[in-house]
Amino acid sequence: MTSYEIIQKTNKYGAANYSPKEVVITEGKGTIVTDPEGNKYFDMLSAYSALNFGHCHPEIVESAKNQLEKLTLTSRAFHNALLCEFYEKLSALIKKEKILPMNTGAEAVETAIKAARRYGALIKGVEEGKQEIIVCENNFHGRTVTIISMSTDPDSRKGYGPYTDGFKVVPYGDAIAMENAVTENTVAVLVEPIQGEAGVIAPPDGYLKKVRALCDRRDILFIADEVQTGFARTGNMFACDYENVTPDIYVLGKALGGGIMPVSAIAADDKIMRVFTPGSHGSTFGGNPLACAVAIKSMEILVRDDYPGMAREKGEYFMKNLKEISNKDIIDIRGRGLLIGVELSCDAAPYVKALIHAGVLAKETHERTIRFAPPINITYEELDSAIKIIKRVFNKG
Ligand code: PLP
């Protein structure tokens, strides 16, 4: 089938809950993807940071293939031999005593909310049903009914009520507003250390430290949603490391699955994780051996090849080059590591279209910001070629 035919068929049978760019990807290797007509592109979005290792990383593919031939699913009715290895590796990497595996990022966020609510009710003594969680404006934590209940994006919410209670929204980056929102029923704050979907917004320096101090002072759990920022994307293993801050609960997903499987988890110490008892939470596929195999291999590569260092160095190089562009429509270029946002004063879609036409895949977020987040193992040669295209497209503007 041609790209045109594939897009027609997709639109005919699929719900229109996405509007993908008009590119069909049929093959991917590292940073390079190919369409049915044989055109090649640099993937500078990486499935919103799920492809930190690039497309079809040979070692991760190999670990998946090996596992595919042995055992793929047991459910949690029985033990499997890989889950304990996954637990041990993630626990050591993130320095938390316990792990709870799920599949998608949204499920992990839901899991963290459940943990915090139970912790509040069973351990802190907040009356059940009154627990509150403080969240930030312009957050993005996923798409379930509970999660969109705390969203401030009208498109995510409209028509989906009744919404889940128990959330208070405060401006992102404002620790004083957060403190003012705390009541005796507050059990947790839920924060993205950098807001990716909102347009790659980093909070003011010191914010995460202030949130940590506030949580300690008021006996509140600090939940960090590192689904998009975790596993080296921002130049540190976790984005909270930038301020040397340790949240109580990490929410993880995307890159944990090595670009192959949906793998997510929360990580926390036992004093929190023990609120979960048999039957109180779970997932048929969470912690399945195939997922564990790719996650174990991904974490091994992450550390062995120093992905945080790679993201830091290449991010600086990329940023320096982007800042050389002279274009009146660009009003800000920001980011950390290889998570970079280019904010425009106008609609970004025509620029994105021109980039794609020239061979660079990227996508706008919230109309005016183009997010660049290439695979962390992009080579300098590939990065240079992509930069050349980006400069050519923007220097015309
Ligand atoms: N949290 C953050 C910060 C995200 O960026 C995303 C997805 O983009 C999610 C949660 C939801 O993850 P998923 O799409 O796997 O449910």
Side-chain angles (χ1 to χ4, degrees), residues 48 104-107 109 140-142 192 197 225 227-228 254:
Y48 304 103
T104 64
E107 284 175 301
V109 171
F140 186 84
H141 298 291
E192 293 160 88
E197 295 307 299
D225 182 344
V227 168
Q228 187 165 154
K254 292 197 194 276

Side-chain angles (χ1 to χ4, degrees), residues 258-330:
I260 295 189
M261 294 278 294
V263 186
S264 70
I266 68 162
D269 281 340
D270 188 52
K271 69 172 199 266
I272 297 165
M273 211 67 109
R274 69 169 171 240
V275 300
F276 291 112
T277 46
S280 63
H281 188 53
S283 153
T284 303
F285 286 90
N288 70 75
L290 186 56
C292 290
V294 298
I296 291 165
K297 183 51 80 179
S298 302
M299 286 187 275
E300 186 189 312
I301 295 168
L302 196 63
V303 174
R304 184 197 68 197
D305 296 349
D306 186 21
Y307 269 60
M310 283 204 266
R312 210 162 35 240
E313 278 175 23
K314 290 173 198 173
E316 274 169 23
Y317 181 77
F318 192 11
M319 183 71 96
K320 179 176 97 30
N321 272 279
L322 287 173
K323 291 209 159 150
E324 284 168 13
I325 295 172
S326 113
N327 179 309
K328 60 178 179 12
D329 294 335
I330 296 179

